[in-house]
Amino acid sequence: MTDFMTFSLVPLTVAVIISMTCALLGNFLVLRRQSLIGDAISHVALPGIVVSFLLTGMLASSAMMLGAGASALVTVAMIELIRRLGRVEGSAAMGVVFTSLFAVGVLLLEWHGATGVHLDVEHALYGNLESLIWFEGTGPAAFFDPVALADLPPQLGRAAWVGLAVVVFVVVFRRHLILGSFDPDFAASVRARPALIDLLLVTMVAVAAIAAFEAVGSIIVIAMFICPAAAARLMTNRLAAQVAWSQLFALVSAVLGYLLAGHGPGWLGFDASLSAAGMIATLAGLILGAACVAGPRRHRIGVAREA
Amino acid sequence: METWWRALTFTLGYNTSVVTLGAMLLAAGAGMVGTFVLLRKRALVSDAISHSTLPGLALAFIVVGLVQGDGRLLPALLLGAAASAALGLWAVQMISAHTRLGEDAAIGAVLSTFFAFGVVLITVIQSMAVTGQSGLTSYLVGATAGMLISEAQLIAACALGLLLAMVVWRRDLLLLCFDADFARTQGLNTWRLDLLLLMLLMAVVVIGLKVTGLILVVALTIIPPVAARFWTDQPLMMVALAALLGALAGYLGVTLSSVREGLPTGPLIVLAAFLLFLVSFLFSPRRGALASLLAYRRLRRRVHLRQGLLAVAHEEPIFDGLTLKLMRRRGYLRRDGVATPLGLAAARDAEHEERLWALYRELHPDDALHREHAGLVPIGQVLSADAIMALEMQLAPTEGAR
């Protein structure tokens, strides 16, 4: 029990919060066929963090969030600029921008690595969920002990704040989001400002990606955005139900993935643990695979089913 | 600086030279394949392919490691990577063809899930007693510094084979990209051609893993073709240009990375490619941002000048600042806004031309539609002298009646 509280409680909570937050936003990305924006933004989180670190010299959450938001806006601006001015196809413009910015991030990071800082490329890619240890969390009493609570890893608070912000965003703008997802032209005609909402959505995606960055890395978070939401899309035709399914899938993959990574090898008789972030995303992918094979609403409407 | 110069001139030793040449060949091949993929509007498929190589790489590393104790055996790793990339590609195809999810969701889901599973396998490797583990991370962001000469030769040979394949199949692929339906009526098996294109893309990505790393190799298949598109409208020219730009990026990137110990090759190649793209984007004479801006300003001036002259002809006041400025600069208006004799003459000409254009539009509405900005260009530049004469003859009675 104490072991669980010290080593597993915080990572598990962070994993659950991040998975559910990302899945919530993912619903809208999948509906808008903008899943790859999530891909681009999460890659770009790396240069955002590195640059804000270079400027402020520390890994403070506020600076990181600012860096993330700024990098997301820069990315979107660059993509639009290249797409409109250069008349380049959207996905190609995206490919140009996010690979280049990611390259900048890696380059800066490697430069840094020489001078010795706590960011490195592997962690940026894999994340390090297991490092979120609560040293003071030695028993149930720790929940009521201010000293022990102050020792909680800062990532937990950050994830919680971001999760809350995302929920508030989705609840407040739900009508705008839904309208813009299904019929942007109509949304524009009733002054629901679909372009502004798009930008806000992208910014929230960036913020969520940053909160997830340290825990699960910049690529695995893409699975958290897309897989549960895409699987939920195959389960139902109603948006509310889809959101509920996506949250369920996110929760299941986070809890099961974490437990499997930590204890799975032990059950098989090996003394090792696997990457929890990787396992969570793998499970999310497996859930999507299952939904693709057996989801009740997996077929496209209007396409004849094979007999 | 001096080291860079020596790398640029291939005098930094045999090893560096082979690595540079290999990277250039690879980037050229990636540029060529990427052009077709871009024209087929599937640029980001290569992102899915490159990320889904990781589990194959890791599995191959585990198997080789269990057999011989050291997992680094490039051919085996590349085979594993290719196998899992093929699986990922199949998954993308299946999801986007058989479910309601779009290709974007399929690509995103596959790339992240496969990558995540690869990360799990990497943690398995870390708990095993296999040497050469640090070799694996070089596949993430690329490292040519520690490349064995045999590895560089393998990469160069594969890239060369790929270039040849592209040259052989260029016409079929082109037909596929521009008009798949027509290609089918010509007896081409488009399904198989699509597969061929994806296989070539996969080959280029897998070979490129060691050079740029699996996250950035996608840049080599996207950036050079996009840059090449700015310079030409001819597809085969675009393929050649993309190959050239890719090779140039590879050349600059690899040589730059040899300047200092520990500079990663992949990001440098990508940034070199981005630089080439930026130059193309800004300065290309046909589609560049600067050229578009200039063309826009030219058009705006022309419209303002024409409207100003028409206003003078109709004896209407002019209020617009830009119009006034343009008219004054040409000597059509005096400082106080009264038309000069030169301006009056020009206004008469402009009005006459406007009438000719209006008549032309009335008589031949279809032809007029096809002319870009009809009415702004002097009519003598567009229509033949005879056609203008005919218009003048028609115009004359109305002119006389006034």
Side-chain angles (χ1 to χ4, degrees):
Chain A
M1 183 63 200
T2 22
D3 271 4
F4 175 79
M5 279 199 56
T6 313
F7 294 107
S8 293
L9 183 65
V10 176
L12 188 58
T13 319
V14 169
V16 167
I17 294 177
I18 290 173
S19 295
M20 292 177 77
T21 309
C22 291
L24 184 59
L25 289 172
N27 278 307
F28 297 100
L29 292 181
V30 168
L31 276 182
R32 288 159 182 249
R33 309 229 149 184
Q34 281 183 340
S35 314
L36 291 174
I37 276 279
D39 178 14
I41 295 292
S42 53
H43 277 87
V44 170
L46 177 68
I49 287 184
V50 176
V51 169
S52 75
F53 179 79
L54 284 180
L55 290 180
T56 60
M58 53 184 173
L59 281 175
S61 359
S62 50
M64 275 170 55
M65 292 296 160
L66 274 182
S71 66
L73 294 184
V74 167
T75 312
V76 173
M78 277 174 78
I79 291 174
E80 282 301 299
L81 207 68
I82 291 175
R83 203 167 68 83
R84 300 247 169 100
L85 273 183
R87 280 167 288 172
V88 175
E89 190 213 337
S91 64
M94 200 184 289
V96 170
V97 173
F98 84 77
T99 51
S100 306
L101 287 176
F102 190 81
V104 170
V106 173
L107 198 62
L108 288 176
L109 207 55
E110 294 273 332
W111 234 320
H112 242 236
T115 55
V117 192
H118 317 290
L119 277 167
D120 64 64
V121 173
E122 273 99 82
H123 281 165
L125 297 179
Y126 310 157
N128 198 0
L129 203 53
E130 293 83 353
S131 69
L132 307 178
I133 300 171
W134 188 15
F135 289 107
E136 299 290 326
T138 46
F143 284 118
F144 308 102
D145 181 3
V147 182
L149 284 179
D151 184 54
L152 275 172
Q155 285 87 349
L156 179 63
R158 204 176 293 163
W161 275 116
V162 168
L164 197 65
V166 166
V167 170
V168 168
F169 165 74
V170 170
V171 169
V172 169
F173 289 105
R174 64 187 182 284
R175 283 169 195 285
H176 298 76
L177 274 170
I178 294 168
L179 212 52
S181 302
F182 288 104
D183 197 344
D185 293 333
F186 177 67
S189 74
V190 296
R191 300 202 181 166
R193 314 289 290 277
L196 187 69
I197 296 294
D198 260 3
L199 210 58
L200 272 177
L201 180 64
V202 169
T203 316
M204 291 316 283
V205 167
V207 169
I210 289 289
F213 179 84
E214 270 181 280
V216 301
S218 67
I219 295 178
I220 293 175
V221 66
I222 303 167
M224 298 189 162
F225 278 121
I226 301 177
C227 289
R233 179 81 187 90
L234 302 177
M235 299 301 290
T236 169
N237 277 338
R238 302 202 58 83
L239 184 60
Q242 183 190 325
V243 170
W245 274 111
S246 72
Q247 294 299 302
L248 178 72
F249 288 150
L251 181 70
V252 168
S253 59
V255 173
L256 269 187
Y258 187 82
L259 292 180
L260 263 183
H263 304 289
W267 297 334
L268 292 178
F270 296 102
D271 181 31
S273 68
L274 304 174
S275 159
M279 196 54 109
I280 291 170
T282 307
L283 273 188
L286 286 179
I287 290 176
L288 174 61
C292 283
V293 175
R297 297 276 182 275
R298 63 184 183 277
H299 295 286
R300 216 164 265 154
I301 291 171
V303 174
R305 291 188 196 179
E306 289 150 41
Chain B
M1 200 63 215
E2 200 207 323
T3 333
W4 189 35
W5 178 248
R6 283 177 55 205
L8 279 175
T9 50
F10 292 102
T11 50
L12 204 65
Y14 181 64
N15 250 9
T16 321
S17 305
V18 173
V19 170
T20 313
L21 276 178
M24 286 171 68
L25 278 175
L26 166 81
M32 291 175 87
V33 183
T35 308
F36 292 112
V37 179
L38 177 74
L39 290 176
R40 194 101 177 89
K41 296 206 189 328
R42 301 182 72 180
L44 283 174
V45 168
S46 47
D47 204 20
I49 296 179
S50 62
H51 284 76
S52 53
T53 53
L54 190 60
L57 266 179
L59 267 181
F61 189 91
I62 291 176
V63 171
V64 175
L66 285 179
V67 172
Q68 64 171 27
D70 185 332
R72 285 171 301 177
L73 181 68
L74 189 65
L77 293 185
L78 291 189
L79 268 182
S84 77
L87 194 65
L89 206 53
W90 176 81
V92 171
Q93 296 283 49
M94 280 295 138
I95 293 178
S96 55
H98 292 291
T99 72
R100 55 165 51 161
L101 296 172
E103 193 171 42
D104 62 320
I107 290 175
V110 166
L111 81 85
S112 53
T113 309
F114 272 69
F115 187 84
F117 186 56
V119 170
V120 171
L121 288 177
I122 283 181
T123 50
V124 171
I125 293 174
Q126 282 166 355
S127 68
M128 285 168 51
V130 178
T131 53
Q133 293 186 4
S134 62
L136 251 195
T137 50
S138 74
Y139 287 94
L140 289 174
V141 288
T144 47
M147 203 189 263
L148 299 175
I149 195 79
S150 60
E151 294 176 337
Q153 281 161 349
L154 177 69
I155 290 171
C158 288
L160 206 61
L162 221 82
L163 285 181
L164 285 179
M166 301 299 303
V167 171
V168 170
W169 276 302
R170 65 186 186 284
R171 292 193 184 281
D172 293 352
L173 288 174
L174 215 56
L175 200 55
L176 172 76
C177 295
F178 278 93
D179 199 338
D181 290 335
F182 178 67
R184 219 166 291 133
T185 64
Q186 293 297 299
L188 287 176
N189 187 336
T190 50
W191 187 83
R192 207 174 289 166
L193 262 182
D194 249 334
L195 198 67
L196 173 75
L197 183 57
L198 290 177
M199 287 296 133
L200 287 174
L201 182 65
M202 196 179 85
V204 105
V205 165
V206 169
I207 299 166
L209 284 182
K210 181 80 183 176
V211 179
T212 62
L214 61 85
I215 298 168
L216 290 174
V217 68
V218 50
L220 281 186
T221 65
I222 296 182
I223 303 181
V226 171
R229 182 71 186 87
F230 282 97
W231 298 100
T232 176
D233 285 337
Q234 277 182 313
L236 284 180
M237 193 66 181
M238 183 177 155
V239 173
L241 263 178
L244 195 72
L245 288 174
L248 196 57
Y251 175 59
L252 289 175
V254 173
T255 50
L256 265 177
S257 80
S258 63
V259 168
R260 223 186 69 190
E261 193 76 7
L263 276 182
T265 324
L268 283 171
I269 294 181
V270 173
L271 288 179
F274 183 72
L275 204 69
L276 294 175
F277 160 79
L278 206 62
V279 170
S280 313
F281 173 71
L282 290 177
F283 303 115
S284 143
R286 30 173 90 232
R287 299 165 63 107
L290 217 59
S292 310
L293 202 69
L294 285 179
Y296 167 72
R297 287 181 57 112
R298 218 175 305 132
L299 177 71
R300 197 166 69 141
R301 280 212 184 128
R302 220 181 238 165
V303 172
H304 275 266
L305 204 59
R306 169 58 66 91
Q307 292 301 323
L309 286 175
L310 288 179
V312 169
H314 298 147
E315 292 170 9
E316 286 160 357
I318 303 172
F319 298 108
D320 187 81
L322 180 64
T323 314
L324 286 171
K325 207 172 91 186
L326 286 171
M327 304 268 294
R328 278 193 198 121
R329 202 184 291 161
R330 305 228 168 178
Y332 293 158
L333 285 182
R334 290 198 325 226
R335 281 211 138 308
D336 57 0
V338 177
T340 59
L342 186 67
L344 286 175
R348 233 179 357 256
D349 286 352
E351 203 207 1
H352 181 66
E353 208 169 281
E354 191 71 18
R355 280 166 185 280
L356 283 178
W357 272 121
L359 188 65
Y360 177 67
R361 271 196 290 265
E362 200 179 301
L363 293 177
H364 313 283
D366 295 339
D367 291 355
L369 263 183
H370 289 300
R371 310 214 182 266
E372 237 178 311
H373 305 311
L376 279 174
V377 206
I379 200 165
Q381 285 178 14
V382 181
L383 300 181
S384 66
D386 289 356
I388 298 179
M389 262 327 251
L391 285 177
E392 296 272 14
M393 296 291 279
Q394 294 227 2
L395 202 57
T398 27
E399 206 90 311
R402 221 179 83 176

